[in-house]
Amino acid sequence: MSESYFEFGTPAERWDRAQMFFDSKEYMTAARILSGLVEEAPEQVAPRLLLARAYYHSARLGKAETELRAVLERDPVEHYARLMLGRTLERQGRAEEAAPHLRLAAAMSGDVPGV
């Protein structure tokens, strides 16, 4: 069984490669690499959050939502994941469901209007 370029290397090398593809706006390629990293270490938040961002930017909103909810299960105070979930829900036309997540993200970041 041969490894492809995407699966080759240590987790740290694959993480660097995924970030490079993400930064180059090659979101689908980044997601391919990151999904393997998430599968290997599902408890780690950073790869899962970057995977969710890659899905979001490639308009795979259902997958982004799934990953963001998994991040928030592991780290409920991850304000960026909360913000991303709100934005993901908005893009899916679910503004009412998005609103509490966006308010909570704003409160967590200290970006509360009128304060």
Side-chain angles (χ1 to χ4, degrees):
M1 194 187 308
S2 68
E3 291 180 289
S4 77
Y5 170 73
F6 304 107
E7 291 87 24
F8 181 76
T10 66
E13 291 168 334
R14 288 179 284 141
W15 169 251
D16 289 342
R17 190 175 307 125
Q19 288 182 308
M20 178 192 69
F21 279 109
F22 185 89
D23 292 343
S24 299
K25 298 183 180 181
E26 295 287 335
Y27 302 118
M28 295 302 296
T29 304
R32 181 175 174 184
I33 298 166
L34 290 162
S35 64
L37 289 171
V38 166
E39 191 175 301
E40 288 175 31
E43 73 284 353
Q44 291 189 359
V45 170
R48 192 177 292 273
L49 185 55
L50 190 58
L51 176 59
R53 291 176 63 202
Y55 285 148
Y56 177 86
H57 288 297
S58 60
R60 297 172 74 186
L61 302 177
K63 288 182 176 263
E65 179 183 350
T66 298
E67 295 302 330
L68 290 164
R69 290 188 187 280
V71 166
L72 291 169
E73 280 181 26
R74 289 163 176 77
D75 188 356
V77 296
E78 171 52 66
H79 80 276
Y80 190 70
R82 186 74 58 189
L83 173 66
M84 286 289 303
L85 179 57
R87 297 286 161 94
T88 300
L89 293 168
E90 278 183 330
R91 278 184 73 185
Q92 294 179 74
R94 296 158 60 191
E96 190 172 310
E97 193 177 340
H101 295 288
L102 295 172
R103 281 193 304 272
L104 190 52
M108 291 171 143
S109 70
D111 189 24
V112 181
V115 175

